[in-house]
Structures are given as C-alpha cells and as structure tokens.
Amino acid sequence: MNHSRIDQWRLKTREQRKTYTQLDALVHRCHGIWRRRSSVRKSLLQTAERIMEKTESYRKLSDDELRQSLRELRPELIKAEVPESALVSGLAITAIGCERTFGFAPYREQLAGALSLFRGTLAEMATGEGKTVTISLAATLMGSTRLPCHVITANEYLAERDAEEQQLLYSFFELKAAAVTGKMAPPMRQAGYAADITYTTPKDTVADFLRDRLKLGLPVQPGRRLLRRIGGVPFDENGVVGRGLHFAIIDEADSVLIDEAVTPLIISSKSQTGELEQAVQVTRQYFESLQENQDYTINFKHRELNIPEATIRGFATYADQLPSAWQGLDRLEELLRSAATAEHFYLKDVHYIIDEGKIQIVDESTGRILPDRTWQEGLHQAVEAKEGIEVTAPNETQASMSFQRYFRCYPKLSGLSGTALEAAHELWAVYHLPVIPIPTHRPSRRILEPTRVTSLPEQKWQCVLEEIRSKESSHRPILVGTRSIGDSEALSELLQKHQISHQILNAVRHREEATIVAGAGQRDALTIATNMAGRGTDIKLGPGIDELGGLHVIATEFHESGRIDRQLVGRAGRQGDPGSARFIVSLEDPTITRYVPASIRQSLSALIPDSGTAEDSRVMERAFRYAQYTAQRMAFSARKQVLKSDTQLDEQLSFSGTSAPV
C-alpha cells in the first residue's frame, strides 16, 4: 500500500477557520448577515423548483442510465466551487432515485435543504419536515465523489437507524453507508469509515481522529512524516481507522456546535497512583464541617466560589492525612473548590444519575445519558465522594480536542437544525456557517396559548395538573416537558396520586424510548419527558387525532437557551398538523432565580393575583426573555474564551510544526 497516499488522506483537514477581532470582526459579521439575507432563501427555493422541473428529463432513464448520469457528474462535484448546473442535475437524479426506492418524491423544501447542505450552509428546518431524507439527498451527492462523507447524528441509535433506513437509496446508486458507534472494534470502525457515507456521533468521530493522530505520531503533516520515514523512522498503519475529513453534515447542528462546543473529547488512561482518590475522601470529611456563607461564599449567577485563606489554612491541619503532592496551600484550595462545586453546582437527577453504583453524566440539553463520560480535574471524584460511592481513579490525558475545534477542521461543513436562527451570529463567527431558514412544506397550525406564571414551584405543578385535566376530556395526546429527571419523577408521583395514567421518558428510563415515543401521539396518551431537543424522533399523530386538535405540549420551565424551548414546542403541529403548546412556569425556576435580580422577582410576584396564577403578562414575558438573553450571552462569552485560547495555541505551535489538537 502506498504510504504517502495513506498519509495524505488519513489526517487530511483544512486549516482552522479564521476568527476575526475588532474592525475585521465587524466586517465579517456584516458579511454573515449578507450571506443569510432573505433573497438567498428565495434563490434556494427557485433553484429547488428548477430541480423538480429537471427530474422530468431523467424520469425516462433506466436505473443503470441514471447511475451513469450521476457518475458523469463526479468531476464537477469534486470542484471547490461546484457549478450550479451540476448541483441541479445531481439533485434531480437523486430525487428520481428517491422516488424509485422509497416510493415518494422529495418536495421543494427538502430539495432546497439538500442544496444548502452541499453549498456548506446550516439549514433551519422545522421538526417533522423530513430532515433525514434531506440529509440523504445531499449525502448521496457527496458520497458519489468517493471523498469521505460523515453524517453526524445526535446519538448512536439514530446513527444506526438512519444508516440502515437510507441504505436503500445509497444502494440504488451503488454507494455504501455504515454506522460507527460505541464499542466497535478497530477493524469494524475502519470498515465503517471506508464506506462512502459514514453515520456516527460527535464523540466517536473525534475520538477516532485523536486515536489516529496518536497512532501515526507527530508531526501530522504528510510531507514531514514522509521525510521521517525516508530517514528510517518506523511507520505503523495498524489500528488507523479514518480516511480523513472532507464533507460533514451535522444533524441537530446547534446542539453539537453550540451547546457542546467546548466539551473536550479526551483520550486517556487510568491513573495507578491512588493519590487523588485518597485526597478527595479526606477533603470531603473536612468540607462537611464547613458552613456556607461563613466558611465560604457562592455567587450562583456567575458560578463563582470564594474560599477565604482561613478556611484553606484550617484544611491544612488535615495535611498529615493527605498524599505529599496535595499538601501545598494551592492544592488544598483546588481540592476544596472541587468539593464545593460538586456540592452546589452538580445536582443528582439534574446533571447526573447513579446507575449500578456509578456516576452517569446527563446531557442537560437532551436529557440523555453520556456513557463513559467523566468530569475532569478531580470533579468526577468529588461528586463520587459526595454521593458516598466508590471513588474511581482519575484519567490521565493523552490527547484532547473540543468539538468546536474539531468541526472547524472540515473542508466542507454543513448542518441541519430545527432551531438555529438564535445562534446565527455565533455559527457564522466561529464556523463561517450562514444560517438559512427553510420554510415549512405546509403552513403551521400550531397555537401557542398564553403563558401561566406562579410564585412557587408547588403552585406550578398544581397548575400543570389542572392543565392536564382540562385537556383530558378532549382525548388529545399530551406531552409534558421537564428540565430535570427529578422534576419528571416528582410530576409522575403527583399524577399517580391522582390516578392519572401516563408514560415517563428520561435518562433513567431511556431504554423504553422508542416504544414511548411511538405511542406519544395516540388518543389519550400522556407522556412526561425531559428535554426533547436532539432526540431525532418525531411524535406522529394516531388516527383521528387531527380532528381532536393534535398534540398539546406543556413546557414547565424556560430554559437558559430559547432554542431548547422552541425544540420542545416544535413537537406539536409538525408538517401542518394541528397542535398547541403552553408554558407553565414559576418565579422560583432556576433560570429566573439565577439571572433575574431578587428585587425584580419580588415585583413580579406582586403582579400574581390571589388565584396564584398570572396569565399573558408582558412584563413577566420580558423578564423571562431578559433572563434567557443574559444566560446565552454569558455562555457565548465562555465559548469565545475557549476559541481565543485555541487560536493562540495555533499561533504558538505554527512555528514548530507541532499539532495543536493533541
């Protein structure tokens, strides 16, 4: 096998997408606004109509002639700037293939979405608008070039499902799709990446990329490694699974590129010293003797801890019980901060669950378990000590890379999401991705009912119970969205007490997800679920539900990101179906207490009548939107800081030829 060719593709990436500052940033932002102007969407839809017209000229071709027509377009499709005529012809051919394999023709909006993906944009398509088919149309064109094409899904279940379901279309054009997930062995992973279209998750693809870099060794430039090989440095290609980065289509792109942007994927090995485990357990004993606001203070809004020197010196009296490496004042403060952070900022049934005696991290934005994920810098061990379970050995980092950094390496990046417009500025600034909203195929019939606000959480749950009862007589299916596992379980207990039949879907009960979602749109169905964002499965209405009014969604909290709220509400009224949604919230909800000053909350509480519930208050609505705006601004600032650090690292290492990511 030609080693230089292997090297050329195994780690092929583009240079990091440039970030701008000061006046350059303003000019770049204006460019982004121009790239997502309304006329771009209009042009996409017009081109989609041309594609639909073009299909008539291919409809008379045989299957073999259709495949040959797509092969003939390959020289055009691999160009840096693909001619529009080639895209129109290519998508017309894939549309005919879709008709012949699945039995339906893609509609205009799906073709517009596929076109935008191939052009390297982020298409916003509402829930239920057929994003899976849209992705397969674009992936067929990308896969036909024989360059690596990765479809990034929200979880392993969706990767396996979509690869299997869409294989019918890919096989028609003599292409192969495969899924790379979980604990697959290296040979199977290598086969998965060798396919024309690879479905995988962010965690899997970043981990494989890092392992390949570690396997091939530094420097990562193919030419430099070739010189090393000529000089007699051994080369081992065994275990290298990838074949480079080129095309990437990210489903639920805002979740991956925004919510999980700075999450580091770490390749690590277990430490064998046992020192941290001992230090964490001793720290927990001392921390339990401390008093909040006396021995330390907390700023919950900014997630800041203040630990006075006297408290740290008090901990020094325990030094003889600590390993020698942890006896300095700086290390003692580090241990105390981890213990306090675990106690106050990381909550059971919100940020994690305990499953079979182990801490399992929960993704707040989707409500899913993140298997094999651990917090770093001793925090995971501090949470274990807090819960009184076995403290595990920490991981020693061999290589790490954030999702934000990794996805900026793709030469051609695109994505789909139901909610991306709120993050359009950030997606352009960081990834150079313009957000193009694709209109719904049918007009929306969703009704957003007035928000109800209560002073206390107890009143909120009582109001939710009344809302459920008010809809029972209509026999409509109801979906209640909660922010945390604890809230979903508490509501379930309340419903059981009132003998109301229901299903519950959260990280603890995730194994029944497919069955629960399949039945959530049926007559009289009541489903309680943690955040539905990123689940990738539609709630389809059962027979006769249209006439009853469709699905009714009850959102029990405003999230820090308005995009998650929109995802949940979007479960109702999909593809022109009828539906409705209502927010029922409390002034004691975490987003409100953290980002709205206490004085303003007291003023808002005075607006709530004696009945305990205020409805459709513009003042309260503005307060809630202010809280979300503040939360999103702070989160964006944190991501910008990570981006700045990445950029500085690039500049420092560019002189040495060293790879920054590992």
Side-chain angles (χ1 to χ4, degrees), residues 317-328:
T317 60
Y318 285 68
D320 60 334
Q321 302 179 41
L322 295 168
S324 58
W326 293 90
Q327 292 180 6

Side-chain angles (χ1 to χ4, degrees), residues 142-189:
M142 295 176 182
S144 69
T145 67
R146 306 299 178 180
L147 297 173
C149 174
H150 298 164
V151 179
I152 313 298
T153 64
N155 56 68
E156 294 180 358
Y157 163 73
L158 293 176
E160 292 173 339
R161 184 201 70 179
D162 293 351
E164 181 179 352
E165 289 183 355
Q166 302 306 308
Q167 182 61 62
L168 195 61
L169 174 62
Y170 301 139
S171 296
F172 180 85
F173 290 106
E174 299 177 340
L175 302 174
K176 182 180 179 182
V180 174
T181 60
K183 310 223 179 255
M184 290 171 60
M188 295 181 65
R189 305 182 84 84

Side-chain angles (χ1 to χ4, degrees), residues 85-157:
S85 59
L87 280 177
V88 169
S89 297
L91 285 172
I93 292 169
T94 57
I96 295 295
C98 183
E99 279 188 54
R100 296 184 183 179
T101 53
F102 293 131
F104 62 84
Y107 46 78
R108 182 187 66 160
E109 290 74 17
Q110 288 176 319
L111 291 170
L115 182 63
S116 70
L117 291 178
F118 202 95
R119 286 179 174 174
T121 65
L122 199 159
E124 180 178 282
M125 294 183 69
T127 299
E129 288 295 302
K131 292 195 284 289
T132 302
V133 172
T134 300
I135 288 172
S136 67
L137 295 173
T140 299
L141 284 192
M142 295 176 182
S144 69
T145 67
R146 306 299 178 180
L147 297 173
C149 174
H150 298 164
V151 179
I152 313 298
T153 64
N155 56 68
E156 294 180 358
Y157 163 73

Side-chain angles (χ1 to χ4, degrees), residues 36-53:
R36 61 177 185 267
R37 65 195 186 279
S38 59
S39 60
V40 173
R41 179 175 67 170
K42 182 179 179 181
S43 175
L44 271 177
L45 294 172
Q46 290 174 342
T47 305
E49 290 173 356
R50 287 175 51 203
I51 294 170
M52 296 175 73
E53 294 170 0

